Amino acid sequence: MSGDLRVALTAGEPAGIGPDLCVALAGRPQAAQLVVIADPDLLAERARALGVDLRLTPFDPAEPARRSAAGELQVAAVPLRASARAGRLDPANAPYVLQTLDRAVDGCRDGTFDALVTGPVHKGVINDAGIPFSGHTEYLAARTGARQPVMMLAAPGLRVALVTTHVPLAQVSAQVTPERLERVIRVLVADLRQRFGLPRPRILVCGLNPHAGEGGHLGREEIEVIEPVLERLRGDGADLLGPLPADTLFTPRYLAHADAVLAMYHDQGLPVLKHMGFGQAVNITLGLPIVRTSVDHGTALDLAGTGRAEAGSLAAAVTSAVELAGAGRPGGAG
């Protein structure tokens, strides 16, 4: 039963829409117990600004888990480092953002929480504070000791996983190595089987170059790196089709018979997925020892505190986290 599941929810960048989305989500009953890890005064202030009647209660891990009711938020308090204003970034609060993540991860590792849902963070302001940070995916992998995290976004009818994530385009080719590609595919296949209940997932693999290299005339990565790895993993039983040209792979002819697409880099696959399902898509980190999902969008500073932010992606992320956590329990699906 999902009612005895606990899900940690980090509110993300305090100047962004993360606190707004947490407040909005509290307006509906949940299938599990949601615990927001944030500064309670920030949540209360944002609720007042949005005109939302909200009851904040301190989280007590000793109490039995129960489904969160509409109109309440249980909060594991982490104090801000500086006052936060909607839409105004402040590097002083970068350590606060990471502290909320650390507390959530520790709670998932020690069994306090069954899953983690993350609100959007602002990578730039964390780096401006002098803290190297390339994204949730990489940070959570380092915190949990995961060797190969895999970023996958899922929307109705499409899943897209990435070989490389938040790296400059000029560095992508060098990072698409045989070793990395094989690790990513093995994680993707394993998690689609274990967490999504797909016994033999079919994965479409993008080429790196236009027209998948056109027989080597537009690049040789497909010939020298991608195809040899796919052939080796097919020998281990993986159902892999590719490398395919990315400009024709995302068509009904191919997608109708696929469980996931593997893109070589961030903007090769995610624009298509977000066009199909923005606001309903969920970011799922594979390869971690914990369940982690997130929204498919950023901090939207211009919308913070205005009441115009849509909570659809966060709601979908919570639903996905509950489903994945439930499936991972003895007797759960998958």
Side-chain angles (χ1 to χ4, degrees), residues 41-114:
D41 292 336
L42 170 66
L43 297 173
E45 179 183 333
R46 203 62 64 87
R48 286 192 297 271
L50 299 175
V52 174
D53 186 15
L54 184 62
R55 184 173 71 259
L56 299 175
T57 58
F59 168 59
D60 183 353
E63 293 183 355
R66 59 177 178 81
R67 296 185 181 189
S68 296
E72 72 163 347
L73 271 183
Q74 288 201 316
V75 183
V78 174
L80 286 165
R81 301 297 181 90
S83 60
R85 293 182 60 186
R88 301 280 187 90
L89 292 172
D90 186 344
N93 278 320
Y96 155 82
V97 172
L98 298 184
Q99 188 180 353
T100 65
L101 286 174
D102 292 344
R103 182 159 179 182
V105 170
D106 291 345
C108 288
R109 298 300 299 274
D110 68 19
T112 301
F113 304 117
D114 298 287

Side-chain angles (χ1 to χ4, degrees), residues 144-167:
T144 59
R147 183 184 178 202
Q148 183 60 67
V150 175
M151 181 177 177
M152 184 178 79
L153 267 73
L158 181 62
R159 301 183 186 98
V160 176
L162 303 177
V163 176
T164 64
T165 53
H166 302 115
V167 299

Side-chain angles (χ1 to χ4, degrees), residues 27 41 56 69 104 112 133 145 149 171 184 215 234 242 248-249 271 296:
D41 292 336
L56 299 175
T112 301
F133 184 84
Q171 298 176 16
V184 167
R234 289 185 191 111
T248 54
L249 180 157
D296 67 349

Side-chain angles (χ1 to χ4, degrees), residues 97-98 101 121-124 126-127 131-137 139:
V97 172
L98 298 184
L101 286 174
V121 299
H122 194 285
K123 301 178 188 68
I126 296 175
N127 283 279
I131 304 171
F133 184 84
S134 58
H136 274 118
T137 302
Y139 187 82

Side-chain angles (χ1 to χ4, degrees), residues 193-278:
R193 287 172 176 166
Q194 296 166 12
R195 294 190 173 185
F196 292 84
L198 300 169
R200 192 165 187 260
R202 186 169 218 214
I203 300 168
L204 308 182
V205 181
C206 295
L208 175 65
N209 298 294
H211 299 182
E214 192 118 339
H217 295 287
L218 297 177
R220 297 191 58 81
E221 286 87 353
E222 288 76 14
I223 296 171
E224 296 175 359
V225 177
I226 301 174
E227 179 55 39
V229 170
L230 300 189
E231 191 61 29
R232 183 162 61 251
L233 294 177
R234 289 185 191 111
D236 290 343
D239 189 355
L240 306 168
L241 183 61
L244 297 169
D247 64 342
T248 54
L249 180 157
F250 290 98
T251 58
R253 171 191 169 195
Y254 287 110
L255 295 181
H257 306 288
D259 295 301
V261 172
L262 181 63
M264 293 295 120
Y265 58 94
H266 188 280
D267 282 13
Q268 183 181 57
L270 297 194
V272 181
L273 182 135
K274 291 189 178 185
H275 173 73
M276 291 180 61
F278 192 73

